[in-house]
């Protein structure tokens, strides 16, 4: 790692619920097609996140429980 980990002086000062304790000193460049970009913006606007960066970090690092899929009713899957 070329950059040292730097603690934030005031975590969460930007008005968000971000409790991350360290400065974010790296960036990630992702190439998207226009369709993917529109889909990303659409999903972000439906969310409660203040920025696309917060939304994308959540999608990358927060693992949600998968939906349960039950089978057996005439071989039909039921998602819950």
């Amino acid at each position: 790692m070329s950059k040292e980990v730097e603690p934030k002086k005031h975590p969460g000062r930007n008005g968000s619920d971000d409790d991350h304790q360290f400065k974010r000193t790296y960036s990630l460049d992702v190439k998207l097609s226009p369709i993917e970009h529109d889909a990303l913006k659409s999903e972000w606007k439906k969310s409660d996140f203040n920025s696309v960066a917060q939304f994308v970090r959540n999608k990358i690092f927060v693992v949600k429980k998968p939906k349960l899929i039950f089978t057996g009713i005439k071989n039909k899957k039921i998602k819950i």
Side-chain angles (χ1 to χ4, degrees), residues 12-44:
R13 265 185 84 137
N14 64 356
S16 69
D17 192 18
D18 181 12
D19 61 354
H20 190 70
Q21 299 296 312
F22 301 100
K23 290 182 181 179
R24 292 188 172 98
T25 56
Y26 289 93
S27 64
L28 177 65
D29 183 30
V30 179
K31 302 291 184 191
L32 301 173
S33 72
I35 293 170
E36 292 168 328
H37 183 257
D38 290 346
L40 176 65
K41 281 179 30 181
S42 174
E43 290 302 309
W44 166 61

Side-chain angles (χ1 to χ4, degrees), residues 65-73 75-80:
K65 293 180 181 179
K67 292 181 180 180
L68 298 175
I69 299 176
F70 294 97
T71 59
I73 301 175
N75 293 327
K76 293 183 179 179
K77 292 183 180 181
I78 301 172
K79 293 185 180 182
I80 296 178

